[in-house]
Structures are given as C-alpha cells and as structure tokens.
Amino acid sequence: MQYQELGDSGVEVSEVGFGAWVVGTDWWGDRSEDDALEMIRYAVEQGITYFDTGDVYGHGRSEELVGEALSEFRDEVTIATKVGYDFYNNPQAGHGELPKEMDPEYLRDAVEQSLDRLGVDSVDVLQLHNADVDEITPDVLELLDELEEEGLIDATGLALGPSIGWLAEGDLAIEEEFDSVQLVWNVLEQEVGNHFLETIEETGSSTSLIPRVPHSSGILNEQVTPDTELGEGDHRGFRPDEWYETGWEKLEKLRFLERDGERTMGQASIAWLLSHEPVATVTPTFRTRDDIDEWTAASDVPKLSAEELARVEELYENDFDIDRDDGMDSLRSSVDGADIESAGLDKLAAD
C-alpha cells in the first residue's frame, strides 16, 4: 500500500480507502454488524488507513461501528466523516434524499455529535455532505476555519452527489482550497473528474480528489453481470437497465487493461484513477475479504502505461463506439444541469 497527503493538510491517507457507507446500512445488501466490524479491522491489517463515513449513514450507526472497530488503531488511521443532512428531525424514506441543513449552528452541533459517536476528540477530515453552491456561504467557511483552529478537525472536504453533476460546487471547493473533493468517478464516468482536473490545473489549487464508485456499481469488477440478480434494497439496483447493458459492452473494450497474474480489471480501474496526480485515495465498496485483498493491491500493481492511458482516453472520447442512451440522464444534474451545459459537457452522452 502507498500513502499520500490530502491536499496540504498534513493528513495522510492510504491510496485505497474504505467507504463506510456500507457499514450500518443495508444499501449494498445485508450484513451483520459483527461482519462490518471484522471487515474494518481486516482492512487495517491489509494497509488501509483511510476510513470514510458520514453521520447520515444508518442515522449515526455507521459512525458508531467505525469508531468501535478503529478504537484500538486510532493513532494509525485517518477518519473522515460528513455532516449536512438533518436526519435528527426527518425520518428516512427508503433511499430518498433527506432535507439538508447547512446552518453553521446546526453543523457545529452535528460535528460534536459525530465526535461522540466515533468516540474521538477530533476527526481527521470533515466533509460537507452534498452542499449546494449557495449553501457554502462565508459563514460556513468561517465555521470550518473555527473548527480547525479549535482542533476539532484537521482537514476540510466536500462530498459531492448523489447525482453525477455538481460541477459548480466542486469548483467552489477547489477555488477555496478545501483539502478534498469526493466525487463519483471511474473509467466509464469521466466527465466530472476530468472537469475538476482542469479546474485544479487552472487555479493551482492543492485540493485532492477522492473518487468513489471506482468500479461503476459493479460493472468494472464484474460483480454485476448479465446473470446477476440484485437483492431488494441493494443500492446498485437504482441504476437503469440501459446503464448496465451499455456498460458490459464497454467493459469488453477495456480488457487490454488486464494483465494475467499482474493486474485484474478491478485493480486496473483503481490504478487508472490513481494515475491522476490530484487523486489521493480511492474508496471502493468492499463486500468481502476477497475484495479487500484484491483492491488494496491496486496501489502496488503495474502502473498503466502512457499507451494504455491514451487508449482509454480515445475510447471515452468516442463513447466506446456505442451510439445509444444509457438511461442515466435523469440522474446527471447539477443546478438543473446549467453548469454541466456551460462546461460544454453532454448530459446525454452514453458514458
């Protein structure tokens, strides 16, 4: 495992991190809490030091389990959490998005409750959870500075989603030099990541990028195939059928990234993201020990060559020669899509 600094915060993260949205929820299939605790501890043994949770996951339960599992490793790991969804006063309705609350007074209280659940005096990385651009006000920025000065947090971040857009928000965070911006980014979904690479280059910002969903909801690691039946409540089932159908075709055109005995497609998908200098850590969704074994090794597999990177770029620019909609347009929005259109990106592209 290799390690990098997050922004210029001094906070170190493993190049492969642990996305704990699967802990304390059933959004990626059922698992017991004992299983979740064991998975987290096993991840530490395999070199993972970056653990990313959020207060809304399981309405605080994910933080409690992460805190319990990592209590004996606190000095060895980096813990990130997110605040901004008001689950305290609103019931969860399935996978629906809860009302957000970005008032500084609310956020401070949310941070303090997160620290209690995690069982820590400070959190290494605090991320605003899906904040709209007009919610990241000067008062919110001042609060983040205050929390850092008080020693309650060490680094600041913005976690983007749940749609694939949110360009204006990420641009603002980069311009304000947040230490990190988390986003959906993978070899099949490149627009937003490529856009932020340009913003970082243009501004000279030190912001690090944290890609999640590196395997495009199971396509690139082949955990979702044409024969797969996703269980009820499995979050991957919210992708349209057209997405998977086009994705399986694209996967076959990416087989050149595999190297027998040296690099699997699942590892190559992570290595492709790590080939971009601003990417500090990638957070795949681990479901088993085998996942941890395979994907943590992605930090050390042979790096993608210039020729391989160029071939991926060419395929993507030509939509993998697939001329049909992937059914994702309704999920690809940010500020009603205006910022995507102004950036010259095609919402309808089958990516």
Side-chain angles (χ1 to χ4, degrees):
M1 180 68 72
Q2 306 298 312
Y3 302 87
Q4 296 195 38
E5 180 182 6
L6 201 65
D8 60 3
S9 66
V11 174
E12 184 184 80
V13 296
S14 51
E15 286 193 336
V16 179
F18 190 110
W21 44 86
V22 299
V23 175
T25 75
D26 61 359
W27 285 16
W28 287 76
D30 292 333
R31 62 168 45 81
S32 72
E33 292 189 348
D34 286 342
D35 288 341
L37 293 170
E38 190 274 336
M39 286 274 287
I40 293 171
R41 291 168 180 146
Y42 184 71
V44 175
E45 294 174 8
Q46 303 311 305
I48 292 179
T49 61
Y50 178 70
F51 293 84
D52 190 313
T53 185
D55 66 353
V56 74
Y57 303 143
H59 288 198
R61 189 56 181 152
S62 177
E63 289 181 323
E64 291 172 345
L65 292 170
V66 168
E68 179 182 346
L70 296 178
S71 60
E72 61 185 296
F73 308 108
R74 182 64 188 101
D75 294 337
E76 305 170 32
V77 298
T78 295
I79 298 176
T81 195
K82 311 176 190 73
V83 294
Y85 279 110
D86 184 7
F87 64 90
Y88 298 101
N89 300 300
N90 299 280
Q92 182 75 49
H95 292 249
E97 188 174 6
L98 290 169
K100 287 182 293 183
E101 179 57 78
M102 297 292 168
D103 177 78
E105 184 176 349
Y106 170 85
L107 292 174
R108 176 178 282 277
D109 182 62
V111 169
E112 291 173 353
Q113 295 198 56
S114 287
L115 293 176
D116 286 342
R117 285 190 292 266
L118 287 164
V120 297
D121 296 324
S122 65
V123 68
D124 301 296
V125 187
L126 177 71
Q127 302 165 91
L128 299 180
H129 204 169
N130 298 342
D132 295 332
V133 66
D134 58 0
E135 293 173 324
I136 308 174
T137 64
D139 287 344
V140 169
L141 295 175
E142 182 178 355
L143 170 68
L144 296 176
D145 288 338
E146 290 174 359
L147 293 173
E148 200 163 345
E149 290 169 2
E150 294 167 19
L152 297 180
I153 67 174
D154 294 321
T156 59
L158 176 64
L160 298 178
S163 65
I164 300 175
W166 301 74
L167 298 183
E169 290 77 8
D171 284 347
L172 175 60
I174 291 168
E175 290 160 6
E176 292 290 341
E177 298 224 51
F178 278 45
D179 295 300
S180 67
V181 170
Q182 182 186 133
L183 68 153
V184 173
W185 187 14
N186 56 65
V187 72
L188 301 184
E189 299 168 282
Q190 295 186 31
E191 281 108 327
V192 176
N194 292 343
H195 176 84
F196 290 152
L197 290 175
E198 293 177 3
T199 304
I200 289 172
E201 183 175 2
E202 291 169 0
T203 61
S205 174
S206 62
T207 301
S208 290
L209 299 177
I210 302 178
R212 70 176 188 274
V213 199
H215 296 123
S216 199
S217 297
I219 290 177
L220 294 170
N221 57 9
E222 299 185 79
Q223 288 187 349
V224 178
T225 72
D227 297 324
T228 302
E229 293 186 13
L230 297 174
E232 184 177 352
D234 191 312
H235 197 60
R236 294 170 297 179
F238 285 79
R239 296 266 196 175
D241 291 343
E242 296 91 337
W243 165 257
Y244 287 108
E245 290 166 3
T246 57
W248 292 322
E249 291 183 50
K250 296 171 187 177
L251 172 64
E252 294 309 311
K253 298 185 180 185
L254 292 167
R255 291 291 184 191
F256 66 91
L257 294 177
E258 295 176 305
R259 291 191 187 179
D260 187 31
E262 290 188 312
R263 192 170 65 198
T264 66
M265 182 62 72
Q267 292 169 337
S269 303
I270 295 173
W272 178 82
L273 288 164
L274 289 171
S275 72
H276 300 89
E277 186 175 351
V279 173
T281 182
V282 179
T283 55
T285 300
F286 297 113
R287 298 172 63 85
T288 66
R289 277 190 174 214
D290 288 343
D291 291 344
I292 295 175
D293 290 339
E294 179 182 351
W295 301 337
T296 53
S299 179
D300 297 312
V301 298
K303 297 185 183 302
L304 273 63
S305 68
E307 291 77 14
E308 288 172 324
L309 292 171
R311 190 170 172 186
V312 169
E313 182 178 358
E314 181 180 3
L315 281 169
Y316 190 78
E317 287 178 350
N318 293 291
D319 286 339
F320 294 81
D321 296 321
I322 297 174
D323 185 21
R324 68 172 183 275
D325 185 15
D326 63 3
M328 288 289 287
D329 183 48
S330 63
L331 303 180
R332 233 176 246 125
S333 62
S334 174
V335 195
D336 296 326
D339 58 342
I340 289 180
E341 294 175 4
S342 67
L345 303 179
D346 183 3
K347 286 179 64 183
L348 295 173
D351 62 324

